[in-house]
Amino acid sequence: MSLASVWSEPDLDAIGRQTGVIRVEHSVHHSAYGTIALPLAVFANGRGPTVLLMAGSHGDEYEGQLALTRLIRSLDVTRIQGRIFVLPAANLPAVVAGQRTSPLDGGNLNRSFGERYTDTPTGQIAAFIAEELLPRCDVFFDLHSGGSSLRHLSCSYADLGEDRATAEKTFAALEAMNAPLSWAQGGIPAAPVAGRAALRKGVIHLSGEFGGGGALNRADLRVAERCTWRLLDHLGILPMAEEWRAPVSTRFVFNEQAHFTYAPHEGVFEPAADLGEEVQPGQPAGYLHRPEYPGEPPVPLHFAAPGVVAALRAMGRCRPGDCLFQLLGEIPRDEILRRIGALA
């Protein structure tokens, strides 16, 4: 027999309710045989699909962490038809520190899913998720928020994939989640994000942004919980309660590079638009001031594309390259369906 550097104490393939940890070896001066213990819950019963619900990829994104923690406490395994893996604090060192990246290695878990995995705590967590959990799954729902640096409108997100069958199933799940903003993206960013690992494994990838600003917002938490329960109901794994059944009005949106506004230099950012506001190209986005040089005039910033302000910087001071705004452009539902129909 051989020992592993990362292993799950719950049996990933067993029937029933299990709560325990995934252990990641972390040998340091004060603990030669130490481990990082990531909380994991496994619920399996009957016949049905498998879904991975994950939050805490970034430690300062709180709505998803609490939504999944509540789900673990309340879930009755006898009502399930299928299997649910729940990782409420996926990058535990970052979660405990309340920061985006791990204090152990500086690792950003959602940027650690490339073709190869680093031999670091964050890299090993990514490897276990990608190579042990995702191959057992049909659907992956990864909950995010804007974190400490951004406030984000609540929205669900879907990587439609590159083939028609996957896109149709993914879009159906996105619609079922019924968030106020339903963000359907035709191509996943060319970055080592978790969604790329899911698509490599043939797993439907769904995500969402629910609040931010380094604090917990009750309204955004409710949207995160609603999307989670409605997804489980749509998959046939677990019927949702009546409180989640009433539909809400949703707008379908997309994202492109022109939707971002970045800081050209260091300074204090004064926004000229609010979260949720509709803006047009050329409209003032804000101003960058440098109080350390009070005689200098502020630098005006302008939006490059139309859209709704979906994310707004939550920190006053910024550095060159910091994201100040992200817009989302509205797209008709029929246009999404037309693009899906054009896929092979």
Side-chain angles (χ1 to χ4, degrees):
M1 296 180 65
S2 61
L3 299 176
S5 60
V6 187
W7 67 97
S8 172
E9 292 187 348
D11 183 341
L12 300 178
D13 301 310
I15 300 297
R17 175 191 177 101
Q18 302 175 79
T19 56
V21 298
I22 298 166
R23 293 203 175 271
V24 182
E25 278 193 353
H26 185 54
S27 179
V28 291
H29 173 73
H30 70 272
S31 184
Y33 291 168
T35 62
I36 303 163
L38 314 178
L40 170 69
V42 183
F43 303 92
N45 183 63
R47 294 175 177 266
T50 296
V51 62
L52 168 60
L53 305 176
M54 186 171 91
S57 177
H58 299 131
D60 60 346
E61 299 177 359
Y62 302 110
E63 286 79 5
Q65 295 177 40
L66 186 50
L68 297 190
T69 298
R70 283 180 168 177
L71 183 142
I72 290 171
R73 291 199 298 257
S74 65
L75 203 151
D76 179 359
V77 71
T78 64
R79 300 178 63 228
I80 288 175
Q81 290 296 314
R83 180 170 54 180
I84 307 172
F85 296 128
V86 191
L87 274 177
N91 197 352
L92 184 70
V95 167
V96 173
Q99 63 187 42
R100 184 173 182 83
T101 56
S102 172
L104 302 182
D105 55 21
N108 180 335
L109 181 58
N110 200 39
R111 300 296 186 276
S112 300
F113 289 89
E115 299 289 343
R116 298 181 180 179
Y117 305 101
T118 59
D119 191 19
T120 62
T122 303
Q124 292 304 298
I125 293 169
F128 188 87
I129 292 168
E131 303 303 326
E132 295 296 333
L133 293 181
L134 286 179
R136 292 174 162 86
C137 293
D138 301 288
V139 178
F140 172 34
F141 182 31
D142 186 12
L143 289 80
H144 286 269
S145 82
S148 299
S149 68
L150 294 170
R151 292 188 292 124
H152 210 296
L153 290 181
S154 278
C155 62
S156 55
Y157 174 90
D159 294 316
L160 296 179
E162 299 178 352
D163 66 271
R164 187 186 303 175
T166 298
E168 288 175 345
K169 292 177 183 177
T170 306
F171 187 66
L174 180 72
E175 284 201 290
M177 291 161 69
N178 189 220
L181 292 175
S182 296
W183 179 358
Q185 204 68 18
I188 192 168
V193 292
R196 293 192 74 84
L199 294 182
R200 286 199 302 266
K201 302 296 184 183
V203 177
I204 289 174
H205 176 240
L206 300 160
S207 186
E209 301 285 352
F210 304 100
L216 182 78
N217 182 288
R218 291 198 313 167
D220 294 311
L221 170 60
R222 183 167 179 81
V223 178
E225 290 186 294
R226 185 174 181 276
C227 285
T228 302
W229 284 100
R230 288 182 64 90
L231 175 62
L232 293 174
D233 183 272
H234 169 74
L235 296 174
I237 296 175
L238 184 65
M240 62 179 158
E242 285 302 316
E243 65 176 306
W244 309 117
R245 290 195 178 277
V248 301
S249 176
T250 189
R251 299 165 66 188
F252 294 99
V253 292
F254 72 100
N255 195 219
E256 60 187 14
Q257 210 61 59
H259 285 140
F260 292 89
T261 302
Y262 297 101
H265 61 66
E266 188 174 11
V268 175
F269 172 51
E270 177 192 359
D274 296 321
L275 201 64
E277 184 176 336
E278 296 278 354
V279 300
Q280 297 298 323
Q283 180 176 328
Y287 303 89
L288 268 183
H289 303 264
R290 293 206 284 182
E292 59 268 42
Y293 301 107
E296 292 185 358
V299 174
L301 305 170
H302 298 85
F303 292 110
V308 59
V309 176
L312 170 63
R313 184 164 174 82
M315 296 176 172
R317 192 78 186 183
C318 59
R319 299 177 182 178
D322 283 345
C323 179
L324 306 177
F325 284 104
Q326 179 198 351
L327 308 180
L328 289 173
E330 192 159 3
I331 182 172
R333 178 179 182 274
D334 288 347
E335 174 60 18
I336 299 175
L337 294 177
R338 186 194 68 77
R339 296 181 184 184
I340 290 174
L343 295 173

